[in-house]
């Protein structure tokens, strides 16, 4: 019996250690006859080492808890003595294919997606050998015949991560040898032939260090980098720095003549202080050799950074740029940018001058969770000296003719009051006029119902709907040219004032279908500057000098004389402007419907909204108000000039006294909506479409006017066609009065008296605009409404990527077979067409003239030929009226993996540029630029 028991126990132990694995292809070098296997083991319960409780033996293949439970098992193991050579912590390992336990040599062989973990160290590979006698681990991958790897070893310890062809690592000393390694830290890839790894282990005061032989530092993530800095010796300190000895730049495995005696490459994680290498090297005929985007980066704190860069040219031109980004979670985020340029300009006579200019941009957004009643945000975009047009040649810079800013602070109170203070700015880059309003302080109440009962008994009374609202605004405003904006004394032209506005209104229904809305408005503006005009009767004789053809003699002749001069004096002092008006309006709706049982059109609907109103405004030209005065024009005439005393203090948005006299006007208007029901054969449903979005007719009759009481009749409307690809607008002006054939001005004589007609056609205009995009064209074919579809989709799902997956390169030949794919080439491309036609009376010819006022076609966007080739059209168009091409702007871009190549061309300027450079990163100073910039084309200050 004892012999049989021993035999049975032996078979059980053998079966536990050598279980057949399921049949799978064997890794190279291992035959079925020489490899014992373990069936289907893929678990982290197989461990080597004492474990966390210190009571396990050096090798433990039991699961964490057996049939008797973990407490019984640990009780039996506590008495076992741990070998002094045992590891400090457990080693967990797994494999998908199989495991081979070599008990004699104390080794474990892991095959197929093998993984070993110990503390913060992790290794993955196709094959791993664990030698617990030597406390070492060896990991290898397998090269595939077609290229690439099967289970290439990946070593991870803390933040250190690299791939290799072979890795040998010691668990106790934390040292290892790496062959054909590739590691990445902070955007830098380090590839080496052989390296020695010295791990820090549990010592937090040390860093992992790798000593590499024949290594290359690059930003290319390819296994064989396309470029890099090659060095025979290299030291990499994790999260700190990479130090290289003598090294040179290698491009495509070809060494270049550029050598470095040594080099330091920062490897710190996160933001860090450091120099910014120049992004571009340039030679300009006008400015000389220059470096662009060289500077310094400074992280101020965890919420803010600062980047200072400059462009420097040897002939004296320079630019300075300051950029700061900031973000505080649940509070705010934004970006501030300041640019200054000092440019050398040489005119046709070889005179040299320097032109300063600067630009300010600031965007600030407050988080919606920051404060329930207080908000601050907006944007500022201010320039002087035409900074954008003198430093950029792209179509956007050329066509941007206006800039604006709006930065505001708003406080809402528990009571129905709002207070805000704002900085506003508007700027025309062509006329170079700048208007700045700062500060602009607004105070307003919410809608108040002073007669609403707190305790309601019965229904709502008509007087409870009476509402009132008060608002006030204090404004400082400065208007100047951008070149004089910051000159001394500019504040003397500052204009300021305070405006108050009180409105009251209500509405009620009469006879069920008619809505009446009476209202009254009182406005008061406080001005602190007025003007006084006086007439100087002094006779002034003006002389003109005319030169003879030979330029040797000249004749002085009496040209003109001025019979008096009007002088203007500015008077400081408080002067209020008070205005009020009152009125009442009535509106209703009239519906008309026509239905059909057959055909595509199943119904027509016409909705007309008539509106009638009466308004009263007093005559502010009456001298009793004191808003208008008169002054003599000329010594020869008694006619006097009427002027407003507030003309010298015009503030944007503030009222000026009306010059129209007394108003007792009856206003009328008719708004029309036309719709149709269309039968859809595809799904047998009815679809409502708008034939016209709106057609309006408006006019008035002034009972208080002494002549020409009837106003002109204005008719206007608009509609869209083809899924809003095309829009149509029209406007017609009819006049009940005749006009002067010489001047074109209206006269106090009805057309009925001269021609027998009640109205004459004064002017008319039509506008046809088209904006062709691929998305709208697709939806038009499918019978879908793009505007409704986009409005109903979440932002992340809205169209715009054209359905491109981005994983496979597609050529033009491939997409020609599929219409939708072919259109995808133009997904980010648009074509705009604008045509305007109008009629006006020409006083010179004495006839009505029909003329084309605008006719242009333009295109812009990008065309993605393949995944790597891209054509960018900043603008290309034609002006049919002026018969010229409208500022073409083209660019081509090619993605070269870790490099990029591009060409841009603005033929109207004669500027172009070409570059082939490393993609943005720590080595993007490797750049080959060539081109002709704005300063070499004579384009500084030119307008297009």
């Amino acid at each position: 019996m004892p012999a049989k028991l021993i035999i049975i126990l032996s078979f059980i132990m053998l079966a536990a250690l050598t279980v057949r694995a399921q049949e799978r292809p064997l890794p190279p070098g291992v035959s079925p006859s020489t490899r014992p296997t373990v069936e289907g083991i893929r678990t982290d319960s197989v461990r080597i080492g004492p474990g966390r409780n210190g009571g396990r033996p050096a090798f433990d293949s039991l699961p964490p808890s057996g049939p008797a439970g973990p407490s019984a098992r640990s009780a039996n193991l506590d008495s076992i003595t741990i070998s002094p050579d045992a590891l400090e912590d457990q080693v967990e390992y797994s494999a998908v294919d199989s495991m081979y336990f070599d008990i004699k040599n104390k080794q474990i062989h892991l095959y197929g997606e093998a993984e070993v973990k110990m503390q913060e160290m992790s290794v993955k590979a196709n094959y791993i050998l664990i030698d617990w006698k030597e406390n070492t681990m060896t990991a290898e991958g397998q090269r595939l015949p077609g290229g690439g790897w099967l289970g290439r070893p990946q070593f991870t310890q803390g933040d250190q991560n690299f791939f290799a062809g072979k890795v040998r690592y010691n668990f106790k000393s934390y040292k290892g040898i790496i062959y054909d390694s590739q590691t990445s830290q902070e955007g830098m890839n380090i590839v080496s032939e052989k390296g020695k790894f010295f791990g820090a282990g549990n010592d937090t005061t040390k860093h992992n260090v790798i000593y590499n032989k024949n290594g290359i530092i690059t930003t290319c993530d390819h296994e064989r980098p396309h470029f890099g800095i090659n060095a025979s010796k290299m030291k990499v300190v994790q999260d700190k720095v990479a130090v290289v000895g003598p090294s040179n730049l290698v491009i495509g495995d070809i060494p270049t003549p550029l050598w470095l005696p040594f080099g330091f490459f920062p490897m710190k994680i996160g933001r860090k202080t450091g120099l910014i290498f120049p992004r571009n090297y340039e030679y300009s005929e006008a400015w000389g050799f220059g470096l662009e985007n060289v500077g310094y980066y400074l992280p101020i704190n965890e919420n803010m950074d600062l980047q200072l860069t400059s462009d420097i040219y040897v002939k004296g031109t320079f630019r300075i740029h300051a950029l700061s980004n900031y973000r505080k979670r649940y509070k705010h985020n934004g970006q501030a940018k300041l640019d200054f340029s000092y440019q050398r300009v040489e005119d046709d006579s070889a005179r040299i001058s320097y032109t300063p200019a600067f630009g300010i941009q600031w965007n600030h957004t407050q988080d919606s969770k920051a404060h329930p009643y207080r908000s601050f945000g907006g944007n500022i975009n201010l320039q002087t000296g035409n900074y954008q047009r003198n430093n950029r040649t792209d179509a956007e810079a050329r066509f941007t003719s206006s800039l604006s800013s709006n930065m505001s602070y708003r406080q809402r109170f528990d009571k129905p009051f709002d207070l805000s203070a704002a900085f506003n700015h508007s700027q025309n880059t062509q006329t170079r006029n700048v208007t700045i309003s700062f500060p602009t302080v607004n105070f307003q109440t919410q809608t108040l119902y002073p007669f609403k009962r707190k305790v309601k008994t019965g229904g709502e009374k008509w007087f409870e709907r009476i509402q009132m609202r008060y608002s006030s605004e204090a404004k400082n405003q400065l208007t100047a040219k951008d070149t004089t904006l910051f000159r001394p004394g500019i504040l003397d032209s500052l204009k300021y004032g305070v405006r108050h506005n009180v409105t009251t209104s209500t509405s009620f229904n009469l006879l069920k279908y008619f809505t009446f809305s009476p209202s009254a408005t009182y406005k008061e503006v406080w001005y602190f500057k007025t003007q006084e005009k006086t007439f100087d009767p002094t006779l002034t004789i003006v002389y003109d000098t005319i030169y003879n053809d030979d330029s040797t003699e000249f004749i002085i002749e009496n040209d003109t004389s001025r019979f008096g001069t009007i002088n203007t004096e500015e008077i400081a002092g408080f002067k209020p402007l008070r205005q009020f008006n009152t009125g009442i309006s009535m509106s209703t709706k009239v519906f008309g419907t026509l239905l059909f049982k057959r055909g595509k059109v199943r119904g027509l609907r016409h909705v007309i909204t008539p509106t009638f109103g009466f308004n009263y405004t007093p005559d502010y030209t009456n001298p009793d108000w004191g808003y208008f005065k008169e002054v003599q024009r000329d010594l020869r005439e008694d006619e006097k000039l009427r002027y407003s005393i507030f003309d010298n203090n015009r503030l944007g948005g503030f009222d000026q006294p009306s010059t129209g006299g007394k108003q007792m006007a009856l206003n009328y208007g008719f708004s029309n909506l036309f719709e149709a029901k269309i039968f859809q054969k595809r799904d047998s449903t009815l679809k409502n479409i708008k034939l016209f979005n709106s057609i309006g007719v408006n006019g008035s009759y002034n009972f208080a006017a002494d002549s020409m009481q009837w106003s002109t009749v204005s008719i206007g409307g608009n509609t869209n066609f083809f899924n809003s690809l095309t829009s149509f607008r029209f406007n017609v002006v009819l006049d009940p009065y005749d006009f002067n054939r010489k001047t074109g001005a209206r006269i106090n004589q009805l057309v009925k008296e001269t021609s027998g007609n009640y109205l004459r056609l004064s002017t008319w205009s039509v506008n046809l605009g088209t904006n062709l995009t691929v998305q709208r064209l697709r939806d038009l074919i499918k019978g879908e409404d793009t505007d409704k579809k986009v409005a109903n989709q979440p932002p992340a799902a809205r169209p715009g990527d054209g359905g491109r997956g981005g994983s496979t390169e597609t050529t033009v030949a491939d997409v020609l077979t599929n219409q939708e794919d072919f259109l995808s080439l133009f997904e980010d491309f648009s074509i705009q067409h604008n045509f305007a036609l109008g009629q006006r009376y020409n006083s010179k010819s004495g006839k009505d003239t029909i003329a084309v006022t605008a006719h242009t076609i333009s295109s812009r966007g990008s065309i993605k030929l393949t995944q790597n080739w891209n054509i960018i059209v900043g603008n290309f168009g034609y002006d049919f009226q002026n018969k010229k091409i409208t500022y073409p702007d083209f660019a081509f871009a090619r993605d070269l993996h870790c490099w990029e190549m591009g060409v841009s061309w603005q033929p109207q300027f004669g500027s172009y540029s070409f570059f082939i450079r490393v993609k943005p990163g720590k080595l993007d100073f490797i750049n080959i630029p060539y081109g002709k910039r704005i300063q070499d084309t004579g384009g500084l200050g030119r307008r297009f």
Side-chain angles (χ1 to χ4, degrees), residues 492-776:
D492 295 339
S493 59
L494 190 67
K495 300 176 183 179
Y496 43 89
V498 181
R499 179 182 62 178
H500 306 270
N501 190 14
V502 180
T503 61
T504 180
S505 63
T506 188
S507 64
F508 55 89
N509 293 332
L510 190 63
L511 300 178
K512 189 176 180 179
Y513 300 107
F514 298 93
T515 302
F516 286 82
S517 301
S519 63
T521 302
Y522 174 79
K523 300 178 182 179
E524 182 169 323
V525 182
W526 295 348
Y527 287 108
F528 300 91
K529 290 181 181 179
T530 56
Q531 65 175 358
E532 182 79 22
K533 294 181 181 291
T534 57
F535 180 72
D536 183 1
T538 304
L539 178 65
T540 305
I541 300 176
V542 181
Y543 294 93
D544 190 17
T545 303
I546 301 176
Y547 289 89
N548 294 328
D549 294 337
D550 56 4
S551 300
T552 56
E553 297 180 0
F554 59 89
I555 302 173
I556 301 177
E557 294 183 352
N558 187 353
D559 182 34
T560 57
S561 298
R562 296 176 183 170
F563 297 90
T565 305
I566 297 177
N567 299 321
T568 302
E569 179 184 1
E570 189 171 77
I571 302 174
F574 175 75
K575 179 65 177 178
L577 167 64
R578 299 183 177 94
Q579 299 181 98
F580 70 92
N581 63 76
T582 184
I584 187 172
S585 65
M586 184 276 293
S587 65
T588 187
K589 287 183 180 293
V590 181
F591 299 87
T593 304
L594 185 61
L595 300 178
F596 308 97
K597 295 182 179 181
R598 298 178 181 178
K600 188 174 181 64
V601 179
R602 294 298 178 90
L604 295 174
R605 186 187 190 194
H606 177 204
V607 181
I608 180 171
T609 306
T611 302
F612 299 92
F614 180 81
N615 294 298
Y616 171 76
T617 302
D619 183 9
Y620 295 110
T621 62
N622 191 314
D624 295 337
W625 290 91
Y627 300 156
F628 289 91
K629 294 184 178 181
E630 294 181 344
V631 63
Q632 187 174 351
R633 287 177 178 267
D634 197 300
L635 285 171
R636 300 166 298 177
E637 301 176 1
D638 294 332
E639 183 181 358
K640 293 186 177 182
L641 171 68
R642 177 187 291 173
Y643 68 94
S644 169
I645 63 174
F646 304 108
D647 277 344
N648 65 324
N649 201 18
R650 290 182 175 269
L651 293 171
F654 278 36
D655 298 279
Q656 289 285 320
S658 173
T659 60
K662 186 178 181 180
Q663 297 286 323
M664 296 178 62
L666 175 66
N667 306 310
Y668 60 89
F670 301 90
S671 176
N672 299 268
L673 175 64
F674 294 90
E675 295 179 309
K677 283 186 179 292
I678 306 298
F679 179 73
Q680 303 285 332
K681 291 184 178 180
R682 181 172 51 189
D683 51 6
S684 299
T685 59
L686 295 176
K687 179 182 179 181
N688 290 336
I689 63 171
K690 291 183 178 180
L691 301 179
F692 272 91
N693 295 332
S694 67
I695 296 179
V697 181
N698 298 280
S700 64
Y701 181 85
N702 187 9
F703 293 95
D706 55 0
S707 61
M708 292 189 290
Q709 291 90 347
W710 290 101
S711 70
T712 58
V713 180
S714 176
I715 305 174
N718 67 87
T719 187
N720 299 322
F721 303 106
F722 313 119
N723 190 28
S724 298
L725 285 174
T726 300
S727 63
F728 173 77
R729 300 192 307 272
F730 74 92
N731 186 61
V732 179
V733 177
L734 304 175
D735 198 336
Y737 293 97
D738 208 342
F739 69 102
N740 188 316
R741 299 305 190 269
K742 293 183 179 180
T743 62
R746 302 174 76 199
I747 60 176
N748 188 25
Q749 186 175 12
L750 292 173
V751 179
K752 176 66 175 176
E753 300 175 0
T754 57
S755 63
N757 298 321
Y758 288 97
L759 296 170
R760 68 175 178 88
L761 180 61
S762 176
T763 61
W764 61 265
S765 64
V766 294
N767 182 276
L768 193 67
T770 300
N771 185 15
L772 180 62
T773 63
V774 170
Q775 186 62 47
R776 290 190 179 275

Side-chain angles (χ1 to χ4, degrees), residues 99-235:
M99 297 182 185
Y100 165 44
F101 294 83
D102 188 346
I103 305 300
K104 180 179 178 181
N105 296 317
K106 297 184 179 181
Q107 293 178 343
I108 304 175
H109 301 264
L110 309 177
Y111 298 94
E113 297 185 26
E115 182 177 4
V116 175
K117 295 181 180 180
M118 177 183 172
Q119 296 177 350
E120 295 185 352
M121 185 276 297
S122 172
V123 177
K124 298 178 181 179
N126 184 56
Y127 166 72
I128 298 178
L129 169 63
I130 302 175
D131 190 330
W132 69 79
K133 181 179 180 181
E134 300 293 335
N135 293 320
T136 62
M137 174 199 62
T138 303
E140 296 184 39
Q142 180 183 350
R143 280 279 191 181
L144 298 177
W149 286 86
L150 175 62
R152 187 181 186 188
Q154 180 181 359
F155 181 92
T156 303
Q157 182 161 359
D159 296 330
Q160 184 76 45
N161 182 28
F162 58 80
F163 292 89
K166 181 178 180 181
V167 177
R168 182 178 174 85
Y169 181 77
N170 190 291
F171 293 107
K172 296 198 65 176
S173 64
Y174 304 107
K175 297 179 181 179
I177 298 178
I178 312 163
Y179 299 91
D180 298 327
S181 70
Q182 182 177 358
T183 183
S184 177
Q185 293 187 26
E186 281 295 285
M188 298 287 285
N189 295 314
I190 302 174
V191 181
S192 65
E193 178 183 314
K194 181 180 179 181
K196 293 182 179 181
F197 177 79
F198 293 84
N202 296 325
D203 191 347
T204 58
T205 62
K206 295 182 180 181
H207 295 269
N208 297 329
V209 180
I210 303 178
Y211 293 90
N212 291 319
K213 177 183 179 182
N214 297 332
I216 185 171
I217 296 181
T218 178
T219 56
C220 179
D221 58 359
H222 199 267
E223 184 181 350
R224 295 189 61 183
H226 299 121
F227 81 100
I229 298 175
N230 189 27
S232 59
K233 295 182 179 181
M234 186 184 306
K235 178 182 178 181

